[in-house]
Amino acid sequence: GERIADLCAAPGGKTAQLAAAGAQVVAVERDARRIPRLRENLARLRLAAEVVEADATQWRPAELLDAVLLDAPCTATGTIRRHPDVPHLKRAKDVAKQAALQRALLHHAATLVRPGGRIVFATCSLQAEEGEDHMKDLPPGLRAVETRRTTPDMGMDGFFIARLERE
């Protein structure tokens, strides 16, 4: 029954998990070309979610949310094991560009949740700039409750994930 926004939602796997768990989900996606697949996945799974085409750094719900899921766009360097072309496609400037976007998304997400509300922030990057470094510059009133880092040597993709709470 919680009201949760999945920012950067396409293709919708996490939106579907939230809806299947009983959340009232708003799936926010800025890329209009990705929205049909998001809708198809929800329909195939017979799950309901409100789908909104909007820039997640600007979108605002009618009322504050219980939680936000922000699986932020990143350089995907943590997926090299499955996508060996990543090191050949990404440059240092890409890390800085994605980190700036992630920071903007995270700071905006903090304004969308009620006091006591939660934000789950995740990236599939190995770069600290796209993960741990964001925890050093959290928006006022937001605190990190828990963080985790996985790496390919653990037998899985490299991810950074943080559970944050608004005070």
Side-chain angles (χ1 to χ4, degrees):
E2 288 190 311
R3 296 190 60 243
I4 302 175
D6 180 1
L7 305 182
C8 312
K14 292 171 200 69
T15 296
Q17 288 290 324
L18 291 166
Q24 298 172 30
V25 184
V26 179
V28 181
E29 176 58 50
R30 78 173 186 174
D31 188 343
R33 295 168 299 176
R34 299 185 73 192
I35 289 177
R37 184 165 178 212
L38 171 59
R39 290 185 193 281
E40 289 165 11
N41 286 335
L42 289 168
R44 178 178 48 81
L45 296 168
R46 295 188 178 106
L47 294 169
E50 179 184 351
V51 177
V52 176
E53 180 184 339
D55 179 339
T57 64
Q58 304 294 318
W59 174 80
R60 281 215 176 276
E63 58 187 63
L64 293 178
L65 303 161
D66 297 303
V68 167
L69 171 60
L70 174 55
D71 186 359
C74 69
T75 57
T77 56
T79 67
I80 291 171
R81 170 173 83 103
R82 291 182 298 117
H83 302 285
D85 56 331
V86 167
H88 305 287
L89 300 173
K90 304 297 178 178
R91 303 287 178 253
K93 66 179 178 173
D94 297 323
V95 173
K97 179 181 175 185
Q98 293 296 353
L101 174 58
Q102 294 155 8
R103 188 174 304 101
L105 286 163
L106 185 56
H107 280 249
H108 184 66
T111 71
L112 306 179
V113 295
R114 63 170 173 74
R118 296 153 342 269
I119 297 172
V120 172
F121 170 78
T123 63
C124 59
S125 171
L126 296 173
Q127 276 45 55
E129 300 94 324
E130 295 184 81
E132 294 87 349
D133 287 358
H134 290 304
M135 301 302 102
K136 299 173 188 172
D137 179 33
L138 289 174
L142 198 64
R143 68 181 183 92
V145 175
E146 184 176 9
T147 64
R148 293 272 191 265
R149 162 65 71 192
T150 64
T151 55
D153 64 327
M154 299 167 125
M156 61 184 78
D157 285 345
F159 281 93
F160 175 80
I161 189 164
R163 184 167 54 100
L164 310 166
E165 188 174 281
R166 182 168 168 211
E167 298 171 337

